[in-house]
Amino acid sequence: MKFVKILGFALVVVTQTGSAAYADEVVDWNQTLFRAGLVAGTNPLFMSRVAAIVQAAVFDAANGIDRRYTPIHVPPAGPPEASREAAAVQAAYATLLQLYPTQKGLFDARRAVSMAVIATHASSAAVASGVTWGQTVANEILAWRGADGFTPAPPPFLGAAIVGTWRPTPPAFASGAGPQFAYMVPWVISAPSQFRPGGPPPLASARYAKDFDETKTIGSVSSTARTPDQTVFSWFWNASTASYLWNTVAASLIKRTDEDDRRNSRDEDRDSDDDSRSWRHNPTLKNARLFALLNLAIADAAIGCWDAKYTYVFWRPVTAIPEAAADGNAATTADPTWAPLFATPAHPEYPSGHSCVSGAAGVALADAFGEHTRFTVESDAMPGITRSFRNFSSALEEVKNARIFAGIHFRSATDDGQVLGESVAHYVLEHAAQRVDR
């Protein structure tokens, strides 16, 4: 996970062969959410919390009317005649307004468009009732997460100048980012430490020496072992945040799937009852649930990851490689002039934040769309460069390699980080927003 202002991130567009322009209000407000983060310069770790707040509120608002799933937090008590779309929009609007009050003009304009569209197929009474319920849900979600430990911020974390221990890294030498995430109240998992990995390999071990040599050789800014394509995808995966990228993947796949569903359902409509037709043609709750599960998995993976980071406080390659003479491992050799491909993020090395969060996202999206879904990722920051994948597993493997080939992680951190994220996501999928028998 790269800790720079989000304003510098690429706007990533995920395309599918034959993808369509269709989107619903849930998808539109998800995109508004990340646009707001861009404008505000929200860092990637904090963005995981923001996205979870908004998408939990959107889901609980829609589900409170349909009452098909267990809630994230707010008991489903919405009026059955209320517009679920209006409720979802108001929940997104109200949470975003609280989180980014200076962007009120943007949110007001977007809300006006949404309500005008909803009014074309819902009564004014249904819209008004939905708005009231959506506001109630937003208020309860905001109050709940207002006591999650995010604030007040703890004192600066500076690590220690001890062999094997993280300390601020060049060029900024910034204090450790987001230490409060190590003890924040999780969304779904029972505790930040629930899926804590076993820790980095001992400095004197053969595994550490192997990891060390790999990153030293291929992750150097001047490496001749790294291929041109590996250099490209290392930069590519660093150009955006994991939360933004995976939500954009989800939005693209939702659009394609919803269009396919509508096409396939046309012939079925004549044999379906009114209730099933209404459910199939209104994807609000389905898409709200998908975004909620995705972002809850990401948020809890980040919390679990930061618990491990600030438990083990392991040093970064940019510190370890120049100081290898002191690590007690005869198989490692110091290089005082070594530098990574690009600047190292300001937090402990183990496990990899990107691998934790991407591992969680990959499991959530594979559950929704199938592991063997093909997709191509394009970045406005790198015109003409695309990354195409046959499945989610191949994308996650490239994410892991990108962090090693960039010289900012050792392989143990990416392997264990992905396992942590996947474990969190499986738990979230098994315990959050579960179908209620009706």
Side-chain angles (χ1 to χ4, degrees), residues 13 43 192 212 244 310 407:
V13 179
N43 76 45
F212 178 100
Y244 180 87
Y310 285 95

Side-chain angles (χ1 to χ4, degrees), residues 4 43 57 69 118 127 166 168 244 255 283 296 307 318 331 339 368 418:
V4 297
N43 76 45
Y69 301 96
I118 295 169
V127 171
W166 180 87
Y244 180 87
K255 293 174 187 178
L296 293 176
D307 162 79
V318 71
Q418 183 175 319

Side-chain angles (χ1 to χ4, degrees), residues 1-2 9 34 44 237 240-248 298 353-355 357-358 361 399:
M1 219 178 263
K2 184 182 178 187
F9 294 154
F34 284 97
W237 284 104
S240 186
T241 68
S243 289
Y244 180 87
L245 173 58
W246 292 115
N247 274 267
T248 308
I298 287 174
H354 206 314
S355 292
V357 170
S358 292
V399 168

